[in-house]
């Protein structure tokens, strides 16, 4: 790779999410959130929601990687890494502790102001997700989360506060993390804030009733409206403010060459990817939605003016996460406990948590999205969860698996740019080791920086750059030209 491929202003970055990294769950006036009520789990045992915080139960969000108190140290390390952007999220309950409060919590506002000023000092631009898999607990128990239309008003209030308060410090916003996950039970819980009856946070329940499915699509409709309102609000405050959507980058291949599998693939891409993207980028429900709703007995309550809001609130760019790909089949079903349960691809290797590894799929997805929407693309999550081991010297971590995974994905990105896709940034998951969203484990590590902590919050929480840190620093410094390591 000797040619210049990445534009000079390419946003090399890295990502985190508040509930997974901040900790300090009940500090400085912050309210409780749904994640604060979520226990740890593992690949075979789903996380649980407890109605009360119980003293003998593990809730990983209560410590995360303790970034709330160590953000200056972390940002200094990010600067040494060479990050151009830090994709992070704001915890809604730090700003509005109950979600429906009349006035914001000053200590929460001050915290993020200090954090953004610190980023500015190190010339790192923030890319800020307004809500990343979390919601104030009060909105869940009092209103039923996003199933209640009133939550749109609370979110609008929150959005207005963020845009005015941080105007000049934050220029790039994402509304909802992985909004297209809201129609499966995991997303219904963590994004839509609808508490699972069983108390278990499972990925999906293929036998969900029509009523439940309807409720999920209705909540998603409210989220899409809130997102569109936020886009308009941001542009009213400052037309230069960039505001994007954020999707799980689902990518499906037909399992076989059977035409029925190709059809299944089209149906999967429609519902998992294009449903939200059509609304957020084109400003309208897709043409096939009636057929889909009729087939599942879904009937949405759409009020006067809703479609106009969606039409006017289209985003400036598309951001998405990309971890794995799946297969679509007319006959073979996947495992509902997997993240986007497609049928397994027999040709791909998997990580320890069963996620397939498919760099080329990233090129495919970039092309697919760019050809459909012709909007700039930003990859805001990409990475592999691994068990990293601190070497006997106590100061090094040879995480070659992360380097291999990311290098191959950056190569795919290079090809997508050469194909002609407008890709503005790339933020691997994650900047630093943080708690896993799916399992609540700390040992499922993605970061460039190792954090000395275990699954139960024990450890010094000291930070140690991993080998991938030095590799990624080289990648950023060379603007994507030097991808090999140790050769
Ligand atoms: C993404 C989420 O889907 O996947 C992140 O936006 C999450 O919050 C990431 O951490 C990786 O998933 P997990 O379960 O391995 O943490």
């Amino acid at each position: 790779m000797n040619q210049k491929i990445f534009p000079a202003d390419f946003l090399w970055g890295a990502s985190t999410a508040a509930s997974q990294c901040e900790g300090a769950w009940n500090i400085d006036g912050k309210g409780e959130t749904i994640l604060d009520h979520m226990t740890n789990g593992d690949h075979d045992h789903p996380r649980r929601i407890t109605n009360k915080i119980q003293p003998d139960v593990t809730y990983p969000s209560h410590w995360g990687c303790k970034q709330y108190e160590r953000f200056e140290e972390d940002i200094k390390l990010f600067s040494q890494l060479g990050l151009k952007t830090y994709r992070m999220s704001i915890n809604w309950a730090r700003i509005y502790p109950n979600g429906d409060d009349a006035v914001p919590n000053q200590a929460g506002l001050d915290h993020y102001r200090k954090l953004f000023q610190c980023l500015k000092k190190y010339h790192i631009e923030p890319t800020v997700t307004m809500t990343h898999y979390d919601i104030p607990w009060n909105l869940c128990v009092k209103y039923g989360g996003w199933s209640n239309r009133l939550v749109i008003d609370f979110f609008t209030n929150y959005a207005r506060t963020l845009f005015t308060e941080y105007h000049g410090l934050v220029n790039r916003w994402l509304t909802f993390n992985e909004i297209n996950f809201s129609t499966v039970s995991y997303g219904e819980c963590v994004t839509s804030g609808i508490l699972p009856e069983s108390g278990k946070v499972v990925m999906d329940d293929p036998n969900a009733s029509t009523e439940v499915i309807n409720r999920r699509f209705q909540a998603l409709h409210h989220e899409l409206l809130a997102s569109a309102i936020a886009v308009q609000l941001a542009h009213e405050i400052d037309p230069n403010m960039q505001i994007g959507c954020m999707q799980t980058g689902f990518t499906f291949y037909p399992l076989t060459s059977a035409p029925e599998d190709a059809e299944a693939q089209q149906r999967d891409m429609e519902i998992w990817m294009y449903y939200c993207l059509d609304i957020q980028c084109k400003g309208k429900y897709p043409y096939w939605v009636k057929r889909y709703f009729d087939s599942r007995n879904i009937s949405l309550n759409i009020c006067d003016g809703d479609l106009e809001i969606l039409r006017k609130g289209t985003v400036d760019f598309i951001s998405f996460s990309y971890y794995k790909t799946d297969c679509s089949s007319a006959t073979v079903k996947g495992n509902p406990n997997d993240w986007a349960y497609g049928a397994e691809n027999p040709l791909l290797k998997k990580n320890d948590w069963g996620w397939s590894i498919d760099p080329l799929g990233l090129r495919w997805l970039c092309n697919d999205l760019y050809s459909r929407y012709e909007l700039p693309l930003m990859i805001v999550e990409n990475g592999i969860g691994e068990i990293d081991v601190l070497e006997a010297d106590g100061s090094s971590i040879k995480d070659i698996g992360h380097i291999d995974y990311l290098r191959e994905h950056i190569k795919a990105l290079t090809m997508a740019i050469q194909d002609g896709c407008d890709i503005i940034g790339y933020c691997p998951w994650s900047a630093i080791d943080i708690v896993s969203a799916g399992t609540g484990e700390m040992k499922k590590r993605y970061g460039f920086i190792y954090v000395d902590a275990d699954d139960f919050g024990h450890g010094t929480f000291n930070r140690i750059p991993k080998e991938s840190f030095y590799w990624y620093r080289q990648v950023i410094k060379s603007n994507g030209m030097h991808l090999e390591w140790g050769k």
Side-chain angles (χ1 to χ4, degrees):
M1 302 237 171
N2 296 320
Q3 291 165 282
K4 282 190 184 157
I5 291 156
F6 291 88
D9 57 355
F10 189 76
L11 292 164
W12 293 102
S15 298
T16 61
S19 72
Q20 295 169 253
C21 75
E22 284 184 347
W25 68 290
N26 56 359
I27 301 290
D28 292 342
K30 175 183 165 293
E32 292 177 5
T33 68
I34 194 165
L35 260 291
D36 295 333
H37 284 253
M38 201 186 289
T39 69
N40 63 346
D42 59 39
H43 184 261
D44 303 313
H45 302 93
R47 303 181 74 177
R48 288 179 300 112
I49 304 268
T50 65
N51 285 331
K52 295 260 175 274
I53 304 291
Q54 297 166 6
D56 49 348
V57 170
T58 303
Y59 300 97
S61 80
H62 293 197
W63 47 82
C65 73
K66 297 201 176 176
Q67 188 169 89
Y68 187 80
E69 63 230 55
R70 303 179 76 141
F71 73 86
E72 280 160 329
E73 178 187 359
D74 287 353
I75 291 173
K76 195 168 174 200
L77 281 167
F78 298 162
S79 143
Q80 288 164 12
L81 179 56
L83 295 191
K84 310 285 182 211
T85 187
Y86 176 39
R87 186 244 168 172
M88 49 166 283
S89 73
I90 288 186
N91 194 316
W92 187 349
R94 283 197 196 286
I95 309 297
Y96 286 99
N98 300 297
D100 59 356
D101 316 72
V103 286
N105 168 35
Q106 193 57 45
L109 290 174
D110 293 346
H111 167 73
Y112 290 109
R113 174 169 295 278
K114 278 190 235 142
L115 193 153
F116 295 140
Q117 281 168 340
C118 185
L119 284 171
K120 193 171 178 186
K121 175 172 140 199
Y122 287 105
H123 309 289
I124 301 172
E125 284 180 36
T127 299
V128 181
T129 317
M130 298 163 72
T131 170
H132 187 131
Y133 278 178
D134 210 1
I135 176 169
W137 179 246
N138 177 57
L139 295 183
C140 309
V141 290
K142 190 164 161 194
Y143 299 91
W146 282 96
S147 65
N148 191 327
R149 207 179 155 96
L150 275 178
V151 176
I152 300 176
D153 295 341
F154 304 139
F155 185 84
T156 304
N157 205 24
Y158 168 60
R160 188 179 293 107
T161 301
L162 297 187
F163 297 148
T164 47
E165 187 73 24
Y166 302 123
H167 186 211
L169 283 170
V170 180
N171 195 40
R172 194 176 307 98
W173 296 94
L174 312 177
T175 53
F176 286 76
N177 183 66
E178 298 191 330
I179 193 165
N180 52 341
F181 227 67
S182 299
T183 56
V184 295
S185 42
Y186 183 79
E188 174 177 50
C189 173
V190 296
T191 299
S192 304
I194 299 169
L195 301 174
E197 271 169 35
S198 68
K200 289 185 185 156
V201 190
V202 291
M203 278 302 149
D204 202 11
D205 47 353
N207 301 321
S209 66
T210 303
E211 189 192 345
V212 167
I213 299 203
N214 213 80
R215 182 180 70 200
R216 290 180 189 167
F217 276 90
Q218 187 65 47
L220 176 56
H221 177 67
H222 296 152
E223 290 160 21
L224 290 161
L225 283 171
S227 175
I229 292 169
V231 172
Q232 291 179 67
L233 210 52
H235 289 159
E236 275 163 26
I237 292 168
D238 182 350
N240 292 321
M241 203 122 72
Q242 293 293 298
I243 181 149
C245 58
M246 198 298 193
Q247 315 280 328
T248 310
F250 290 119
T251 305
F252 290 92
Y253 305 139
L255 183 62
T256 72
S257 54
E260 290 78 6
D261 284 359
E263 193 181 29
Q265 185 250 4
Q266 194 170 53
R267 298 289 95 92
D268 280 340
M269 285 304 288
E270 281 174 355
I271 196 59
W272 290 102
M273 273 317 265
Y274 311 143
Y275 182 88
C276 291
L277 279 170
D278 278 11
I279 297 167
Q280 295 190 291
C281 304
K282 295 182 175 176
K284 57 182 184 187
Y285 274 92
Y287 70 91
W288 46 265
V289 85
K290 183 174 180 320
R291 182 245 303 147
Y292 182 80
F293 281 0
D294 286 351
S295 72
R296 303 198 78 183
N297 285 322
I298 297 170
S299 141
L300 285 192
N301 189 3
I302 297 182
C303 298
D304 283 352
D306 283 5
L307 298 181
E308 183 67 359
I309 291 172
L310 296 179
R311 195 178 64 74
K312 288 187 174 157
T314 54
V315 293
D316 299 312
F317 66 100
I318 295 173
S319 80
F320 63 93
S321 61
Y322 178 88
Y323 290 93
K324 66 198 269 288
T325 57
D326 295 276
C327 288
S328 303
S329 161
T331 50
V332 183
K333 294 279 165 252
N335 176 0
N337 283 325
D338 276 350
W339 200 277
Y341 59 101
E344 263 184 45
N345 188 330
L347 302 178
L348 296 177
K349 285 197 187 136
K350 292 185 184 157
N351 75 359
D352 293 341
W353 280 265
W355 294 20
S356 66
I357 301 171
D358 180 12
L360 205 52
L362 180 57
R363 179 187 188 182
W364 187 92
L365 184 61
C366 288
N367 276 280
D368 187 60
L369 297 185
Y370 192 60
S371 65
R372 276 174 181 273
Y373 301 106
E374 293 185 334
L375 283 174
L377 303 176
M378 183 166 180
I379 292 90
V380 292
E381 291 185 32
N382 174 229
I384 182 165
E386 295 216 307
I387 298 174
D388 294 329
V389 182
L390 185 61
E391 297 292 313
D393 62 10
S395 62
S396 57
I397 298 97
K398 297 191 191 320
D399 61 329
I400 303 304
H402 287 134
I403 297 176
D404 288 345
Y405 179 97
L406 295 174
R407 184 192 57 241
E408 296 310 306
H409 284 76
I410 296 175
K411 283 184 187 167
L413 205 59
T414 306
M415 291 189 257
I417 292 176
Q418 287 174 318
D419 291 334
C421 300
D422 180 9
I423 300 175
I424 58 173
Y426 174 71
C427 301
W429 188 265
S430 49
I432 182 168
D433 286 345
I434 58 178
V435 170
S436 154
T439 65
E441 294 166 300
M442 190 68 191
K443 71 165 179 280
K444 189 181 188 190
R445 294 172 186 268
Y446 291 84
F448 292 113
I449 301 164
Y450 183 85
V451 175
D452 174 34
D454 69 11
D455 289 344
F456 303 95
H458 304 131
T460 62
F461 285 81
N462 285 343
R463 280 57 173 145
I464 305 170
K466 302 180 193 174
E467 192 154 337
S468 61
F469 178 99
Y470 301 103
W471 167 79
Y472 193 47
R473 187 168 71 175
Q474 167 194 289
V475 172
I476 297 177
K477 209 166 165 207
S478 67
N479 200 18
M481 282 174 66
H482 297 308
L483 299 181
E484 301 305 329
W485 186 240
K487 286 185 184 158

